[in-house]
């Protein structure tokens, strides 16, 4: 998969979705924070939004939002990352006391996540401007993994049904040989696939409507399963564990075994965000230079200025 | 949900996805054909495309593609529907001998499904020009149902595990009372959730890579489950069966129980296709007037003209 503005297009595909609560909105979030670049995905399961930003665009937006700021991107980016990352990873911990995060939705369907915090004693503002994600991104991050999860679970249901039939065969043999139970309540009904399925649907479907509002239905078990299947995306042979390289998928009857409609890359390129201007070189060149400004709150407090020129601000 | 150009935005949500093979491409298709309007969705699980067309737009495109055609939309629409609908519903039957359907992908990421058939003895051309669907459409048609399916299956796995534990308790009681098996091979191992899970993942994951290429992983069991959960979309209370109206979902702690980020309608409106110009009135006004031109092939043959003006063509 190609890179978009230096951020690999599938950088997030193996990251988990975290249930988050921002300004009282329940969302699922996926995020990747590089050295001076990030990619954020948010969804309420009715839409999916994203923002990709690279060094130059981050610098330029920071300048717009913080007129007095005069610092290279690596100097404030680590602060931004430190505040936002826990929030997007479903940490229950409140962000640092001076930081506030708001979510607003725009008339045009975009959402903006606004951050107000304090950096070197002065207010620091940031905005994540998230636009609807491309359809190929939604397929990559949600549709395909969810389908793979369903298939896996369906297989598992079938396997467990098979086991139940074998248990019943064993029980029947004991009974036929005259065995009795010491405690009657231990007796189970003979498992019948059809009855169980009907019965299950009647009981489980109503639950779908009432539970797990917080995680938008993405329970921790499913999150675990998500991480399992995204580590094994069947449509991406590069990710397949090495032991399976010898088990190639059977060719279809057509001359082209892989239906040639994978327009993903093309579409991704078309949707490449214009605000991701920097290159991967930018990122790697500052890799070891990242400075954590707020890692020591005491230090920050001790250098807190009032209407006085500081290192990061003019 | 609002209407877009007379077609209700969720008209397709309870329709199944059918695996189809067009020009050697394996796709999933969902389609709705009204009286003189249609909505088609196609996906290769890497992108999702759609086209919505209404009476006036259908008329205008038919005119462009068939210069000699002079007929009201209802006169040729039923022919189009008759040829295409079986093809999009996964029918193995070849389209009528004179009809051919091709799929081509465009440089811009769109796909075009071209139809060439015969109507009243003359060639009849049609093109479905499918553009990437809106993200809200993808969420409605794939993401939410797939997540609901996963949740349902996960519940079922848990229920079956519970049953297995009860079977084991019963078996243990027989054994403790000295029961023996007449056939040793009927003896099962004690079910251990952890072992079974590990074992299952090790065996089932490799299968994900190799099976069900034709249906893109959307097996018939999953298709059945899809229809069950889309008839019970937990996020759409209108569709909830009446017996559950008394079981309201618990309110969340926020003042607004439904996170107000459902931008779906807004986005859908924004993405309203400009080629859907007619209104719902158009549709209903011709409801009883639809004429099936090709319903009797003999009749068609008997009136087959050569270079002669016919009813539908000029």
């Amino acid at each position: 998969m190609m890179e978009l503005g230096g951020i690999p297009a599938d950088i997030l595909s193996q990251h988990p979705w975290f249930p988050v609560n921002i300004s009282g909105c329940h969302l699922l979030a996926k995020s990747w924070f590089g050295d001076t670049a990030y990619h954020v995905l948010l969804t309420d399961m009715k839409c999916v939004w994203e923002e990709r930003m690279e060094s130059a665009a981050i610098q330029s937006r920071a300048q717009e939002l913080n007129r007095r700021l005069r610092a290279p991107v690596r100097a404030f980016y680590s602060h931004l990352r430190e505040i936002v990352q826990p929030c997007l990873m479903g940490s229950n911990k409140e962000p640092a006391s001076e930081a506030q995060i708001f979510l607003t939705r725009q008339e045009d369907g975009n959402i903006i996540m606004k951050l107000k915090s304090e950096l070197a004693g002065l207010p620091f503002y940031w905005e994540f401007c998230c636009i609807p994600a491309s359809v190929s991104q939604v397929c990559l991050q949600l549709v395909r993994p969810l389908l793979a999860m369903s298939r896996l679970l369906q297989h598992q249901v079938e396997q467990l049904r098979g086991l139940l039939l074998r248990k019943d065969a064993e029980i029947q043999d004991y009974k036929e040989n005259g065995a009795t139970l010491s405690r009657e309540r231990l007796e189970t009904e003979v498992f019948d696939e059809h009855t169980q399925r009907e019965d299950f649907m009647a009981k489980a479907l109503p639950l779908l409507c009432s539970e797990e509002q917080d995680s938008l239905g993405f329970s921790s078990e499913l999150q675990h399963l998500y991480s399992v299947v995204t580590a094994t995306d069947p449509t991406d042979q590069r990710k397949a564990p090495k032991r399976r390289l010898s088990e190639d998928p059977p060719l279809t009857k057509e001359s082209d075994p892989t239906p040639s409609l994978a327009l993903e890359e093309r579409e991704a390129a078309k949707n490449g965000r214009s605000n991701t201007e920097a290159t991967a070189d930018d990122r790697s060149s500052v890799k070891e230079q990242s400075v954590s400004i707020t890692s020591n709150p005491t230090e920050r407090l001790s250098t807190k200025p009032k209407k006085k020129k500081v290192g990061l601000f003019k």
Side-chain angles (χ1 to χ4, degrees), chain A:
Chain A
M1 200 174 289
M2 66 177 298
E3 293 202 351
L4 297 181
I7 308 177
D10 62 351
I11 190 84
L12 277 178
S13 63
Q14 290 189 49
H15 283 236
W17 283 100
F18 291 102
V20 299
N21 184 334
I22 308 170
S23 308
C25 286
H26 294 291
L27 297 168
L28 298 174
K30 252 193 185 204
S31 56
W32 170 83
F33 286 84
D35 290 314
T36 54
Y38 66 76
H39 187 187
V40 169
L41 274 175
L42 294 169
T43 179
D44 63 355
M45 301 309 265
K46 293 186 178 174
C47 191
V48 184
W49 299 267
E50 71 174 335
E51 183 173 64
R52 292 170 203 260
M53 288 285 269
E54 278 261 10
S55 198
I58 292 173
Q59 175 82 66
S60 140
R61 184 179 297 170
Q63 213 65 64
E64 270 173 48
L65 296 172
N66 305 277
R67 289 287 168 198
R68 296 175 61 197
L69 184 73
R70 50 170 183 83
V73 63
R74 62 184 181 281
F76 57 83
Y77 178 82
S78 59
H79 168 73
L80 176 64
R81 176 178 172 155
E82 193 179 284
I83 300 277
V84 174
Q85 210 167 14
C87 166
L88 293 180
M89 290 176 75
S91 159
N92 288 325
K93 201 177 67 167
E94 289 287 307
S97 61
E98 78 276 23
Q100 293 169 302
I101 298 181
F102 305 97
L103 198 82
T104 53
R105 50 173 174 161
Q106 308 290 106
E107 283 297 315
D108 56 11
N110 300 341
I111 57 176
I112 298 192
M113 196 163 62
K114 292 184 182 182
L115 169 83
K116 185 189 172 183
S117 74
E118 207 175 81
L119 178 62
L122 283 177
F124 175 76
Y125 298 94
W126 186 256
E127 291 182 3
F128 293 84
C129 305
C130 301
I131 62 174
S134 70
V135 173
S136 61
Q137 191 66 241
V138 179
C139 287
L140 176 66
Q141 307 287 353
L142 285 165
V143 173
R144 264 146 53 202
L146 285 170
L147 180 60
M149 288 160 65
S150 291
R151 284 165 64 190
L152 208 58
L153 287 165
Q154 176 66 37
H155 275 295
Q156 201 164 6
V157 163
E158 280 159 24
Q159 197 200 43
L160 295 175
R161 282 184 182 145
L163 279 179
L164 279 161
L165 295 179
R166 288 180 51 211
K167 293 284 177 198
D168 275 337
E170 183 175 355
I171 288 171
Q172 199 189 339
D173 193 76
Y174 287 126
K175 282 183 175 172
E176 283 172 0
N177 289 317
T180 50
L181 286 168
S182 62
R183 287 167 293 176
E184 255 182 52
R185 62 170 181 80
L186 290 178
E187 184 161 21
T188 59
E189 273 178 41
V190 172
F191 178 74
D192 175 72
E193 184 177 321
H194 181 74
T195 313
Q196 183 267 337
R197 198 195 306 254
E198 296 287 305
D199 195 51
F200 175 76
M201 289 300 173
K203 283 178 191 153
L205 276 176
L207 291 177
L208 274 182
C209 292
S210 61
E211 62 176 349
E212 298 181 306
Q213 301 288 313
D214 284 5
S215 59
L216 298 172
F218 219 129
S219 64
S220 53
E221 291 91 351
L222 293 181
Q223 283 177 50
H224 172 71
L225 200 59
Y226 181 93
S227 59
V228 170
V229 299
T230 50
T232 322
D233 183 346
T235 59
D236 186 349
Q237 293 301 315
R238 288 174 310 161
K239 286 183 206 153
K242 276 179 186 160
R243 71 173 186 283
R244 274 185 279 113
L245 284 179
S246 58
E247 300 170 29
D248 286 329
L251 295 184
T252 54
K253 281 169 198 151
E254 285 66 44
S255 55
D256 180 3
T258 48
S260 54
L261 269 167
L263 305 178
E264 188 167 23
E265 286 80 0
R266 184 179 315 228
E267 205 207 2
K270 189 185 57 143
N271 289 325
R273 311 288 172 254
S274 57
N275 54 11
T276 57
E277 297 143 352
T279 66
D281 293 335
D282 279 329
R283 204 153 36 106
S284 55
S285 66
V286 296
K287 194 159 189 173
E288 297 307 318
Q289 299 171 32
S290 153
V291 180
S292 179
I293 296 163
T294 57
S295 62
N296 185 342
T298 324
E299 190 179 78
R300 192 169 65 233
L301 282 170
S302 70
T303 61
K304 189 171 178 174
K306 289 283 177 204
K307 298 183 181 183
K308 204 178 77 179
K309 256 194 174 182
V310 292
L312 293 172
F313 294 88
K314 40 189 166 183

